[in-house]
């Protein structure tokens, strides 16, 4: 995702804030001025995207047996890995390494995500993905739809079309839903409150649509927000908007269980971050997931039926959020396994530290 973009967002935010409140014209104008000033301030703090993010495309775990799984990563700048400097620190590289190590199979990564993309930008990305026939597609999208105030039905429509096309060719699809832009520190109230509301509305709508289309979702929400105030230089990159290497590791850690689940591999019993499962109607599950980062949602059956009186059934799994470095250690353990668990040379190289990146990092792709 890219940063908030000023006048259009601010003026529309002002209209929404004033809607139904019966305020006088002078109050509405003052509100618009406040929001516009806050948007301008955020733009000054959050610089424009400059150099493209590093590419991590290639084969991970090349020395492992079996044919490679093909992983495609679609979406916006967070999916592309903007904010880090090494290919091995990007979300795609982290997921490719985690999947390879957990399944003991090579994984070929194709990063198709584009910085600044909105949901409408998924169209060419999906076309490119269909050409490579991926086994798994991970999509992160929505932040730019919020900042540009894309109509909800338009943004969700593009996403569900993408999921349906990918599922039609046999690809499994995992979507990281819209992050909570209200957790971004440079965005101040009242703009922050509106950004949070819009983000959660889009995330919930994405969840319902994706699960109905046969995909899985994981809520990213305010995954990094609670820790930002305490450690702003650790979980966010230099622009104070995109994740740092550690931030991407935490995001990958909550996405990986769903990715493995979608591929038909269950390794939760061998980890310390399995989480609690619940069954809800899909709208209930979507609402709950939007409020709790790291919640996985997928379709399920109750009594042999996919639907009940109130709609489709869904299964939630909420990962525990451990405090401090306990969570970081759990995240990295889930991604790469307990330190020392893999003894072969390929995996020893995968545990090399990357810029003090929690003490673990994947190696780059291999030829």
């Amino acid at each position: 995702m890219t940063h908030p973009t000023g006048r259009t967002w601010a003026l529309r935010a002002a209209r929404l804030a004033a809607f139904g409140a019966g305020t006088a014209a002078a109050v509405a104008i003052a509100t618009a001025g406040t929001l516009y000033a806050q948007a301008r301030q955020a733009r000054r703090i959050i610089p424009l995207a400059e150099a493209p993010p590093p590419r991590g495309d290639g084969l991970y775990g090349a020395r492992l047996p079996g044919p490679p799984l093909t992983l495609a990563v679609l979406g916006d700048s967070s999916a592309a890995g903007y904010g880090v400097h090494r290919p091995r620190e990007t979300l795609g590289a982290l997921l490719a390494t985690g999947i390879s190590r957990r399944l003991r199979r090579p994984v070929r990564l194709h990063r198709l995500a584009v910085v600044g993309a909105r949901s409408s930008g998924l169209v060419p990305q999906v076309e490119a993905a269909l050409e490579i026939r991926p086994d798994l597609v991970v999509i992160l999208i929505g932040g730019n739809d919020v900042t540009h105030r894309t109509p909800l039905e338009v943004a969700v429509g593009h996403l569900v079309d993408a999921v349906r096309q990918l599922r039609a060719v046999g690809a499994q699809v995992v979507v990281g839903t819209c992050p909570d832009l209200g957790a971004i520190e440079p965005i101040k109230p009242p703009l922050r409150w509106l950004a949070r509301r819009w983000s959660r509305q889009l995330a919930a709508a994405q969840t319902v649509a994706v699960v109905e289309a046969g995909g899985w979702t994981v809520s990213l929400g305010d995954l990094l927000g609670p820790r930002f105030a305490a450690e702003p230089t650790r979980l966010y990159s230099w622009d104070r908007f995109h994740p740092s290497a550690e931030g991407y590791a935490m995001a990958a850690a909550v996405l990986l269980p769903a990715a493995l689940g979608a591929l038909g591999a269950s390794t939760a019993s061998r980890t310390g971050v399995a989480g609690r499962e619940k069954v809800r109607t899909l709208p209930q599950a979507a609402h709950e997931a939007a409020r709790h980062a790291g919640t996985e949602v997928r379709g399920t059956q109750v009594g042999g039926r996919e639907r009940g009186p109130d709609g489709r059934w869904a299964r939630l799994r909420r990962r525990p959020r451990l405090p401090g470095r306990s969570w970081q250690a759990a995240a990295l353990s889930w991604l790469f396994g307990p330190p020392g668990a893999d003894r072969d040379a390929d995996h020893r190289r995968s545990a090399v530290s990357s810029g003090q990146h929690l003490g673990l990092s994947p190696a780059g792709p291999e030829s």
Side-chain angles (χ1 to χ4, degrees), residues 56-70:
D57 297 45
L59 188 63
Y60 291 74
R63 299 175 185 172
L64 295 173
L69 291 167
T70 300

Side-chain angles (χ1 to χ4, degrees), residues 186-334:
I187 302 176
K188 303 298 183 183
L191 188 59
R192 175 181 294 176
W193 302 331
L194 293 174
R196 172 165 287 121
R197 176 183 176 184
W198 293 333
S199 300
R200 289 182 176 179
Q201 286 176 338
L202 179 54
Q206 288 176 324
T207 297
V208 172
V210 168
V211 174
E212 286 281 12
W216 298 45
T217 65
V218 178
S219 60
L220 299 182
D222 62 345
L223 181 67
L224 306 183
R227 304 262 328 271
F228 179 79
E231 298 181 280
T233 61
R234 289 180 65 86
L235 297 183
Y236 280 76
S237 66
W238 54 272
D239 66 1
R240 301 176 65 190
F241 191 75
H242 293 89
S244 65
E246 295 183 21
Y248 279 120
M250 292 180 69
V254 298
L255 287 164
L256 182 61
L260 292 171
L263 289 169
S266 178
T267 60
S269 62
R270 295 191 284 122
T271 74
V273 288
R276 300 188 303 268
E277 288 197 342
K278 304 176 184 177
V279 174
R280 297 281 191 270
T281 65
L282 182 52
Q284 291 172 336
H287 178 70
E288 186 171 338
R291 293 184 291 112
H292 299 285
T295 301
E296 170 191 302
V297 181
R298 66 187 188 277
T300 192
Q301 294 184 348
V302 175
R305 296 185 178 181
E306 291 186 347
R307 297 182 181 274
D310 298 319
R312 180 163 185 153
W313 294 112
R315 186 175 298 274
L316 291 86
R317 176 177 290 177
R318 189 186 304 172
R319 311 288 169 186
R321 296 181 66 173
L322 305 178
R325 293 188 62 84
S326 300
W327 166 250
Q328 297 177 6
L332 271 295
S333 177
W334 173 253

Side-chain angles (χ1 to χ4, degrees), residues 67-95:
L69 291 167
T70 300
L71 166 65
V73 179
L74 281 58
D76 56 23
S77 55
S78 293
Y82 187 82
V84 296
H85 302 290
R86 300 177 179 88
R88 64 191 181 191
E89 297 171 336
T90 61
L91 181 72
L94 290 162
L95 288 173

Side-chain angles (χ1 to χ4, degrees), residues 42-222:
R43 289 190 58 159
R44 285 194 295 268
I45 295 173
I46 304 170
L48 292 171
E50 297 176 353
R55 298 199 67 90
D57 297 45
L59 188 63
Y60 291 74
R63 299 175 185 172
L64 295 173
L69 291 167
T70 300
L71 166 65
V73 179
L74 281 58
D76 56 23
S77 55
S78 293
Y82 187 82
V84 296
H85 302 290
R86 300 177 179 88
R88 64 191 181 191
E89 297 171 336
T90 61
L91 181 72
L94 290 162
L95 288 173
T97 300
I99 293 170
S100 173
R101 295 193 69 174
R102 288 290 168 183
L103 300 187
R104 305 291 298 173
R105 286 184 62 180
V107 174
R108 187 173 298 280
L109 171 65
H110 297 266
R111 191 264 283 171
L112 305 174
V114 177
V115 174
R118 304 182 218 176
S119 294
S120 59
L122 289 174
V123 174
Q125 296 181 34
V126 169
E127 292 175 353
L130 293 175
E131 294 181 1
I132 62 174
R133 307 285 295 191
D135 299 289
L136 173 67
V137 178
V138 175
I139 304 174
L140 270 65
I141 201 74
N144 294 313
D145 292 293
V146 171
T147 62
H148 289 81
R149 297 302 295 134
T150 303
L152 193 67
E153 63 276 11
V154 174
V156 174
H158 285 297
L159 176 59
V160 75
D161 285 347
V163 175
R164 285 173 177 162
Q165 290 182 65
L166 293 164
R167 292 290 293 128
V169 298
Q172 299 297 327
V173 182
V174 174
V175 175
T177 57
C178 181
D180 181 0
L181 298 188
I184 305 299
E185 193 272 341
I187 302 176
K188 303 298 183 183
L191 188 59
R192 175 181 294 176
W193 302 331
L194 293 174
R196 172 165 287 121
R197 176 183 176 184
W198 293 333
S199 300
R200 289 182 176 179
Q201 286 176 338
L202 179 54
Q206 288 176 324
T207 297
V208 172
V210 168
V211 174
E212 286 281 12
W216 298 45
T217 65
V218 178
S219 60
L220 299 182
D222 62 345

Side-chain angles (χ1 to χ4, degrees), residues 6-7 9-18 28-42 188-195 198:
R7 183 180 296 272
W9 184 9
L11 292 179
R12 290 179 178 177
R15 287 198 293 270
L16 180 59
I29 292 172
T31 303
T34 298
L35 293 173
Y36 180 52
Q38 289 180 330
R40 288 177 57 188
Q41 176 66 18
K188 303 298 183 183
L191 188 59
R192 175 181 294 176
W193 302 331
L194 293 174
W198 293 333

